[in-house]
Amino acid sequence: MAITEHRDIEKGDNKGLEDLVEPLIDEVSKDVKDVKETDENGSILMVLLSTAVAVCGSLEFGSCVGYSAPVQSDISIDLNLSVAEYSLFGSIVTIGAMIGAITSGRIADTIGRKRAMALSAVFCIAGWLAIFFSMGSLLLDTGRFFTGYGIGIFSFVVPIYIAEIAPKNLRGGLTTLNQLMIVTGSSISFLLGTVVSWRALALTGLVPCILLLVGLLFIPESPRWLAKVGREAEFEYSLRKLHGAKADIFAEADEIHETILTLQSLPKARLLDLIDAKYIKAVIIAVGLMVCQQSGGINGIGFYASDTFQTAGLSSGKAGTVAYALIQIPVTILGMVLMDKSGRRPLLMVSSFGTFLGCFLTGTSFFLKGQAVFLEWVPLLAVSGVLIFIASFSIGMGAVPWLIMSEIFPLHIKGTAGSLAVLVNWFGAWVVSYGFNFLITWSPAGTFWLFSGFSILAIIFVAKLVPETKGKSLEEIQASINK
């Protein structure tokens, strides 16, 4: 009997083992599947937690930018500030941010992404406390400068950190959280400023900083930065923490190491290196996108939305400004959803066309008012134009340039090139916000038509030069740019 059974098995007749083998295979497959699902879930949770901590810096960014608008009257009365003194208070944040932008890349490359974010938070905390305790313009301006310096670093390091830790299929949406939290922080600051004192509003700016400093204790450093500085044990630990303890990290680790070895053979990046043929296209793309973002007029239109509505004929600009603040959040969320579905280039072009349309309608409303024709349409056109503009900006042009900037530079020049791009962005913000009132005095219609013309140029720039980065690793993106 035993011999017969043995012969049957040798001939391929394994009928007697069927019940044993199949359940065993199924059980092993199930175990592997369960481990994989647990591993993936764990890694996604850590990526999400790390992103949530990093975007506390973006929330702080928005809180700082939105602070000055709702408190102008109260601060001016309490501290007896002149118009010139308050103008300095409002604009010095941009000067601080420009200096922060210049130093942000070097800081992030030297001490790491996490410590750079911690340093930014410390500057912002010092700034808010200085504003809270200020009894005159000197301490007030010093505090505002410190918060500006802090958000200048945040504006570079937050999208860089998220791009370096996120899986390529989630990188677009997660990096867009940067813009969403900036918008959210700005809206919260504006709305709270209508119901609390300016000193109390300054204290609310401490909350994102405290959350960030606590959260940094629980998240890993960027594995790409760790590999770059040769901290191998921490590199592997970070990669496993982001991908899961049992994940196969060897393929990605090899890809990162291969890139690092190539970079180590290159000389240390200097500003002049950015004009090298290998990098100039990426620099043109990043700087060009920052110019496109600011030349569309976002800071001028945003800072003076209430005055724009009143000039167009509304009895009060407050309702229009609140609508402006609230519309940004859901539209930015929509942009996040579309980021990794439709791609970066289509969003940029649709966004730029929308900002063109919004500015064109607003400019037309002022033209009609100047000609004293169709006056009943003027307020509606102005409000519609501004709201179309901000919705269109929020869905693409607000977030995508920061995402692409974080994707296209090789690691060894990312600090220097990123600092240049952020500096250009902040300088553009200062030019537009400072010059907006002069342009409006010259010609309201001409001002908005000028912005609409820059939006058309942005469409052409994106169509001709900007690559699609959706679904590609950072190494694949950088290789494709130099083809």
Side-chain angles (χ1 to χ4, degrees):
M1 176 99 178
I3 295 175
T4 305
E5 287 179 356
H6 178 69
R7 287 174 179 172
D8 288 339
I9 293 170
E10 284 183 336
K11 292 176 183 178
D13 185 3
N14 59 355
K15 193 171 184 178
L17 301 180
E18 191 173 16
D19 292 338
L20 175 62
V21 174
E22 290 186 357
L24 181 61
I25 293 173
D26 289 344
E27 191 66 31
V28 171
S29 300
K30 182 177 182 298
D31 288 344
V32 170
K33 184 178 180 182
D34 288 344
V35 168
K36 186 176 180 181
E37 287 179 352
T38 301
D39 194 52
E40 287 178 350
N41 290 338
S43 66
I44 291 298
L45 287 176
M46 180 51 67
V47 169
L48 293 178
L49 174 62
S50 301
T51 302
V53 171
V55 296
C56 287
S58 308
L59 188 66
E60 173 65 18
F61 186 143
S63 299
C64 184
V65 170
Y67 177 78
S68 60
V71 300
Q72 178 174 356
S73 177
D74 291 343
I75 291 182
S76 298
I77 293 171
D78 288 354
L79 300 184
N80 194 28
L81 300 182
S82 66
V83 173
E85 287 174 325
Y86 192 82
S87 297
L88 176 61
F89 170 72
S91 61
I92 201 170
V93 67
T94 310
I95 299 173
M98 281 192 277
I99 297 174
I102 294 171
T103 58
S104 60
R106 182 72 63 182
I107 290 171
D109 282 350
T110 302
I111 66 175
R113 296 4 178 176
K114 284 178 59 177
R115 288 179 181 172
M117 287 188 279
L119 180 66
S120 303
V122 169
F123 269 98
C124 288
I125 288 172
W128 287 123
L129 291 176
I131 291 172
F132 177 79
F133 288 110
S134 62
M135 301 302 293
S137 59
L138 179 60
L139 192 56
L140 191 72
D141 292 342
T142 301
R144 188 71 167 158
F145 177 83
F146 277 9
T147 58
Y149 183 78
I151 66 173
I153 298 175
F154 275 137
S155 66
F156 170 77
V157 74
V158 171
I160 291 292
Y161 175 78
I162 296 172
E164 289 180 346
I165 66 165
K168 62 184 179 181
N169 61 314
L170 297 177
R171 190 173 60 243
L174 291 179
T175 307
T176 313
L177 278 172
N178 176 55
Q179 180 66 19
L180 174 63
M181 297 308 288
I182 292 173
V183 167
T184 302
S186 178
S187 298
I188 290 173
S189 188
F190 177 82
L191 297 174
L192 284 178
T194 63
V195 295
V196 302
S197 71
W198 63 272
R199 293 188 192 274
L201 188 61
L203 289 181
T204 65
L206 298 174
V207 176
C209 297
I210 294 170
L211 291 175
L212 176 72
L213 290 174
V214 173
L216 287 174
L217 300 174
F218 301 97
I219 65 174
E221 178 58 90
S222 162
R224 284 178 169 82
W225 179 79
L226 291 170
K228 179 188 175 186
V229 297
R231 291 156 64 171
E232 286 299 317
E234 293 173 73
F235 163 71
E236 183 176 339
Y237 171 79
S238 175
L239 210 55
R240 287 199 179 279
K241 197 165 185 180
L242 289 167
H243 288 267
K246 298 181 180 179
D248 181 4
I249 63 170
F250 297 110
E252 183 174 353
D254 288 344
E255 184 179 22
I256 293 173
H257 277 127
E258 185 177 343
T259 303
I260 297 298
L261 287 174
T262 302
L263 297 179
Q264 287 175 342
S265 66
L266 300 173
K268 193 171 183 179
R270 299 168 301 169
L271 194 59
L272 288 177
D273 294 333
L274 300 183
I275 63 175
D276 189 281
K278 297 191 295 292
Y279 314 124
I280 188 65
K281 186 175 180 181
V283 172
I284 290 172
I285 291 168
V287 171
L289 283 174
M290 295 305 175
V291 172
C292 290
Q293 185 189 71
Q294 293 299 331
S295 64
I298 179 60
N299 279 290
I301 295 171
F303 287 174
Y304 304 105
S306 181
D307 290 343
T308 300
F309 293 137
Q310 288 181 311
T311 305
L314 290 181
S315 57
S316 172
K318 187 173 182 179
T321 306
V322 171
Y324 177 101
L326 294 179
I327 198 173
Q328 297 178 91
I329 298 174
V331 175
T332 304
I333 293 172
L334 177 61
M336 290 173 54
V337 173
L338 295 175
M339 185 73 68
D340 286 315
K341 293 184 180 295
S342 63
R344 283 54 153 167
R345 277 166 51 89
L347 270 186
L348 281 173
M349 288 191 279
V350 169
S351 177
S352 296
F353 178 78
T355 58
F356 156 76
L357 180 61
C359 285
F360 183 80
L361 291 176
T362 306
T364 300
S365 74
F366 284 113
F367 176 77
L368 294 177
K369 183 180 179 181
Q371 300 299 314
V373 295
F374 301 113
L375 292 179
E376 66 277 11
W377 288 95
V378 169
L380 178 62
L381 279 177
V383 173
S384 299
V386 172
L387 294 183
I388 289 172
F389 172 88
I390 189 57
S392 301
F393 181 87
S394 298
I395 204 171
M397 190 55 75
V400 176
W402 296 104
L403 170 60
I404 291 179
M405 181 201 75
S406 69
E407 293 177 322
I408 61 176
F409 292 125
L411 200 58
H412 75 292
I413 69 160
K414 187 171 284 188
T416 304
S419 293
L420 175 64
V422 175
L423 174 63
V424 168
N425 185 279
W426 280 111
F427 180 75
W430 177 79
V431 169
V432 173
S433 59
Y434 182 77
F436 186 81
N437 281 331
F438 296 101
L439 289 171
I440 286 291
T441 301
W442 161 66
S443 170
T447 299
F448 283 92
W449 284 342
L450 178 65
F451 290 149
S452 67
F454 280 117
S455 293
I456 292 295
L457 292 177
I459 296 174
I460 296 171
F461 178 82
V462 173
K464 294 290 186 181
L465 290 176
V466 178
E468 181 55 72
T469 61
K470 180 187 76 169
K472 297 178 181 178
S473 70
L474 300 183
E475 290 74 19
E476 289 171 341
I477 293 168
Q478 291 147 21
S480 67
I481 288 175
N482 293 319
K483 282 184 178 179

